[in-house]
């Protein structure tokens, strides 16, 4: 009964306002426990990477935060409000895993990116000039202005992925949850993308939580790393995570993260499925 | 044309345009969700409604609407739970509705002479009071699509994202199911049970072939639907053919024509023709 209410150690950085708070959250698909006793706090200004092998529950964790899945135990609060009563969903942006897999029915890049704005206007309201400006800016940020009138079906996989990111940014979120969002971006695009996230985090105080397998690429940039494999195995700054064989424990195999060299930095880490 | 002097033909044209516009408006969202078989399934399930009306001695129109709306809700409820593949779910629903309908009909005093009209449509016998009902249902559908457009688009395009963004997806889906059920009821009047699905889907495929945007496809589909029904109505009069099937065959002809033209234009412009797959 009281299991979910037990005291959570405070993680994350400093004393900034907690935007996402998970207390003793557990979730399972049927009997298959996927998340167990997750305690996690994301504070304003955080730049957090979630690492873990395939099937570790990373996507599930994001979906629980977004209210797409209801936890079996524990509590989720968003912006200080219990998730069940939280209404201002537009404050949380989301780029789903495989976000670029849009259907085959025609829709332009503009139309898709604009759906990111719907959470703000509701479906009665019309998109105002301000809303349109926000969509345009999001497209510009991802280098998609010239494709605005193209149907998304006629874009490459990486371009579609950018559309999904633009859609999330168009909402003007305060927290951005990204599920392997850099998947399918080319080397320059990936560099630019992480650079963009870093800039948004620094300049606009956008809080970023990203799920990735590309430890090398994010370790220089993020402020916090969370290692997840059903339970939270480690929370802390990236340097600490890379030391002490924490990653090897997470993946159950020796893991070598290349240093800050440019060549090998992009090597990804794979592991057996759980 | 001489035929325009007759009230029954004018009513047929009016009812036809109303059906021609509403069915594809709903069809666009169904096709985008890969759920276009819903129209066919609901149309077949309507037989249960008609039979219930005959047995209970209630106007079959009323029981049909009730049964179709209830079936739409049931299908949506099951789809949400992801217990079955969406398309097989529809196949089961359709077979079940039809089977129940046939059994009920066999227990009633018989279907009467109207079976052909029910199966293949009976635009030419639309009475003024039918026309008012069709106009009312059509107005409701168009209003719902306009009011809910943003939500419907977001859900049809990416349901999970719409949910994550906090749109009331469940409400949108429920409203959409009611609208879809009403539309099927209208389509049955125009082209009959067997062809209702065609009127919902064919104009949409034509529109999808010539549009880049969703909004564009929506209006093109509605316009195409109206033109197809009007064209089919006149063709069937001139060639003395049954109306519903004529509308459908004309639509398929147009669809093939548009697809071929599109290929030719794209090849002429040197663009790659991307394989598009509008699965049911
Ligand atoms: N719809 C589902 N039904 C049943 N089990 C599921 C479902 N979705 C995920 N799971 C299970 O939940 C576990 C966690 O899945 P999740 O998608 O969260 O993993 P992940 O960490 O995101 O992995 P990946 O790196 O492959 O994206 C997996 O073991 C998977 O088998
Ligand atoms: Mg995942």
């Amino acid at each position: 009964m009281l299991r979910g209410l037990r005291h959570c150690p405070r993680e994350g950085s400093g004393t900034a306002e907690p935007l996402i708070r998970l207390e003793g959250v557990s979730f399972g698909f049927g009997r298959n426990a996927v998340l167990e006793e997750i305690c996690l706090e994301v504070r304003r200004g955080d730049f957090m990477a979630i690492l873990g092998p395939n099937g570790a529950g990373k996507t599930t964790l994001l979906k629980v935060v977004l209210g797409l899945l209801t936890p079996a135990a524990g509590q989720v609060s968003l912006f200080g409000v219990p998730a069940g009563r939280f209404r201002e969903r537009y404050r949380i942006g989301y780029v789903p895993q495989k976000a670029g897999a849009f259907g085959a029915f025609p829709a332009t890049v503009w139309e898709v990116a604009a759906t990111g704005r719907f959470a703000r206007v509701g479906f009665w309201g019309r998109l105002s000039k301000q809303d349109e400006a926000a969509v345009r800016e999001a497209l510009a940020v991802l280098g998609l202005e010239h494709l605005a009138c193209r149907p998304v079906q006629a874009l490459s996989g990486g371009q579609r992925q950018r559309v999904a990111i633009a859609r999330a940014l168009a909402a003007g979120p305060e927290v951005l949850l990204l599920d392997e969002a850099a998947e399918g971006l080319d080397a320059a695009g990936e560099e630019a993308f992480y650079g963009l996230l870093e800039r948004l985090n620094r300049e606009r105080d956008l809080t970023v939580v990203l799920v990735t397998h590309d430890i090398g690429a994010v370790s220089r940039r993020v402020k916090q790393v969370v290692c997840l494999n059903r339970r939270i195995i480690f929370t802390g700054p990236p340097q600490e995570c890379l030391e002490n064989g924490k990653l090897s424990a997470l993946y159950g195999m020796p893991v070598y993260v290349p240093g800050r060299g440019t060549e090998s930095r992009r090597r990804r880490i794979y592991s057996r499925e759980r | 044309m001489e035929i325009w002097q007759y009230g029954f033909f004018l009513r047929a044209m009016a009812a036809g345009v109303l059906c021609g516009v509403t069915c594809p408006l709903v069809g666009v969202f169904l096709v985008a969700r890969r759920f276009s078989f819903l129209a066919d399934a609901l149309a077949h399930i309507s037989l249960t409604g008609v039979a219930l009306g005959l047995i209970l001695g209630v106007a079959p129109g009323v029981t049909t609407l009730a049964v179709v709306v209830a079936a739409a809700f049931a299908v949506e409820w099951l789809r949400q739970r992801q217990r079955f593949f969406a398309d097989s779910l529809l196949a089961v629903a359709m077979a079940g509705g039809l089977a129940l309908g046939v059994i009920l009909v066999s227990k009633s005093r018989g279907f009467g002479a109207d079976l052909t009209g029910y199966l293949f449509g009976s635009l030419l016998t639309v009475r003024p009071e039918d026309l008012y009902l069709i106009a009312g249902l059509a107005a409701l559908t168009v209003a719902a699509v306009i009011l809910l457009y943003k939500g419907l688009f977001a859900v049809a395009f990416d349901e999970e994202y719409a949910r994550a963004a906090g749109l009331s997806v469940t409400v949108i889906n429920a409203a959409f199911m009611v609208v879809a059920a009403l539309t099927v009821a209208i389509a049955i009047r125009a082209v009959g049970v067997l062809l209702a699905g065609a009127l919902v889907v064919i104009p949409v495929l034509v529109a999808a072939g010539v549009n880049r945007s969703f909004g564009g496809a929506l209006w093109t589909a509605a316009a195409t639907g109206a033109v197809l029904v009007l064209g089919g109505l006149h063709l069937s009069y001139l060639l003395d053919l049954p109306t519903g099937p004529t509308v459908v065959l004309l639509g398929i002809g147009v669809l093939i024509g548009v697809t071929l033209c599109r290929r030719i234009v794209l090849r002429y412009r040197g663009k790659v023709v991307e394989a598009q797959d509008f699965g049911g």
Side-chain angles (χ1 to χ4, degrees):
Chain A
M1 260 288 172
L2 289 174
R3 223 175 56 166
L5 295 175
R6 82 198 170 91
H7 174 72
C8 275
R10 301 237 154 182
E11 313 274 20
S13 67
T15 52
E17 170 197 4
L19 303 187
I20 300 172
R21 198 176 149 83
L22 297 151
E23 284 176 278
V25 168
S26 300
F27 180 87
F29 289 101
R31 287 229 205 99
N32 175 18
V34 174
L35 297 175
E36 285 179 37
E37 302 269 328
I38 302 288
C39 291
L40 186 67
E41 213 165 63
V42 179
R43 292 170 176 271
R44 191 181 290 284
D46 280 2
F47 192 171
M48 180 184 283
I50 300 180
L51 304 177
N54 290 134
K58 305 181 295 297
T59 301
T60 307
L61 180 66
L62 294 191
K63 287 186 180 174
V64 165
V65 169
L66 287 161
L68 296 174
L69 299 172
T70 315
Q75 271 154 13
V76 182
S77 14
L78 306 169
F79 294 86
V81 181
R85 286 197 276 120
F86 183 70
R87 291 285 164 270
E88 298 155 323
R89 293 265 162 208
Y90 57 84
R91 296 174 79 175
I92 305 180
Y94 177 44
V95 181
Q97 192 170 8
K98 298 277 172 301
F102 300 124
F105 202 82
T108 60
V109 168
W110 173 272
E111 284 177 311
V112 175
T115 58
R117 210 65 200 167
F118 292 175
R120 275 189 186 262
V121 285
F123 35 81
W124 310 109
R126 291 181 63 88
L127 290 187
S128 65
K129 286 269 177 298
Q130 261 166 314
D131 293 315
E132 292 186 358
V135 177
R136 208 170 303 123
E137 195 198 331
L139 288 176
V141 159
L142 284 141
L144 292 167
E145 319 98 303
H146 63 292
L147 299 176
C149 295
R150 286 270 285 276
V152 282
Q153 288 72 28
L155 301 184
S156 76
Q159 287 170 331
R160 290 183 202 193
Q161 190 64 35
R162 289 175 196 229
V163 175
I165 301 165
R167 175 175 69 178
L169 284 181
E174 289 163 59
V175 188
L176 195 51
L177 307 182
L178 304 135
D179 200 347
E180 297 181 35
E183 199 68 35
L185 299 192
D186 57 28
E190 191 186 283
E191 194 60 38
F193 173 58
Y194 285 125
L196 167 72
L197 289 182
E198 211 175 17
R199 212 173 64 234
L200 290 173
N201 176 254
R202 203 175 45 233
E203 291 168 10
R204 296 200 203 165
D205 210 19
L206 177 72
T207 308
V208 179
V209 177
L210 56 88
V211 167
T212 182
H213 293 295
D214 199 349
I215 302 162
V218 298
S219 64
R220 303 182 297 158
R221 305 189 189 268
V222 298
K223 301 177 190 161
Q224 298 89 13
V225 169
V226 172
C227 294
L228 179 77
N229 197 355
R230 198 149 43 141
R231 299 167 168 278
I232 289 188
I233 290 175
F234 169 81
T235 318
Q239 302 82 342
E240 252 176 67
C241 170
L242 295 179
E243 294 157 9
N244 309 336
K246 293 242 165 53
L247 282 178
S248 305
L250 174 65
Y251 287 94
M253 61 183 273
V255 170
Y256 163 70
V257 178
R260 280 133 207 235
T262 46
E263 188 76 40
S264 51
R265 194 176 55 68
R266 304 193 172 283
R267 198 182 300 159
R268 276 148 208 266
I269 287 166
Y270 299 98
S271 84
R272 286 154 299 183
E273 278 185 41
R274 184 154 69 81
Chain B
M1 269 214 290
E2 187 193 346
I3 187 74
W4 290 351
Q5 294 162 8
Y6 295 99
F8 79 90
F9 198 79
L10 293 180
R11 279 198 298 279
M13 289 212 293
V17 166
L18 290 171
C19 298
V21 167
T22 26
C23 291
L25 276 186
V26 169
V28 165
F29 299 103
L30 285 176
V31 173
R33 288 167 177 230
R34 301 185 167 238
F35 213 48
S36 51
F37 201 58
L38 178 76
D40 261 309
L42 291 184
H44 285 79
I45 292 169
S46 74
L47 182 64
T48 299
V50 175
L52 267 184
L54 290 176
I55 287 179
L56 301 176
V58 186
V62 177
T63 45
T64 306
L65 262 185
V67 165
V68 170
V69 170
F73 273 125
V75 166
E76 171 64 16
W77 189 81
L78 286 171
R79 187 187 70 88
Q80 276 303 327
R81 266 135 207 90
Q82 303 186 336
R83 293 269 161 74
F84 308 97
F85 302 112
D87 57 342
S88 357
L89 172 64
L90 290 177
V92 172
M94 173 169 132
L98 199 55
L100 189 58
V102 170
I103 287 181
L104 288 178
V105 167
S106 77
K107 291 291 169 203
S108 74
R109 268 151 297 162
F111 211 82
D114 214 22
L115 184 60
T116 337
Y118 172 69
L119 288 179
F120 301 106
S122 48
L123 268 183
L124 295 177
T125 60
V126 166
R127 291 164 302 177
E129 58 266 33
D130 295 332
L131 186 56
Y132 297 139
L133 183 65
I134 293 178
L137 293 181
L140 217 79
T141 307
V142 173
V145 168
I146 291 174
L147 280 179
L148 296 174
Y149 175 73
K150 287 211 297 297
L152 288 174
F153 170 65
V155 172
F157 207 74
D158 192 340
E159 182 161 349
E160 183 174 71
Y161 181 82
R163 235 175 242 289
L167 294 177
S168 0
V169 174
T170 314
V171 175
I172 296 174
N173 280 337
F176 181 66
M177 280 298 140
V178 173
V179 170
L182 295 182
T183 309
V184 168
I186 306 177
I188 292 175
R189 195 72 181 86
V191 289
V193 164
L194 294 181
L195 307 173
L199 193 53
V200 172
V201 172
I202 292 174
V204 177
L205 294 188
V206 171
V210 297
N211 275 282
R212 300 159 146 242
S213 71
F214 196 92
L218 190 69
W219 300 119
T220 317
T224 310
V227 170
L228 283 184
V229 176
L230 279 185
L233 202 53
H234 285 87
L235 261 185
S236 77
Y237 163 70
L238 291 173
L239 305 176
D240 195 21
L241 298 171
T243 315
T246 311
V247 171
V248 170
L249 286 186
L250 178 67
I252 292 179
V254 170
L255 178 58
I256 293 173
V258 166
T259 312
L260 288 180
C261 288
R262 183 158 168 271
R263 279 186 166 266
I264 292 166
V265 168
L266 287 178
R267 179 160 309 171
Y268 179 71
R269 288 210 214 131
K271 284 190 187 161
V272 181
V273 181
E274 224 177 296
Q276 291 208 348
D277 159 29
F278 303 104

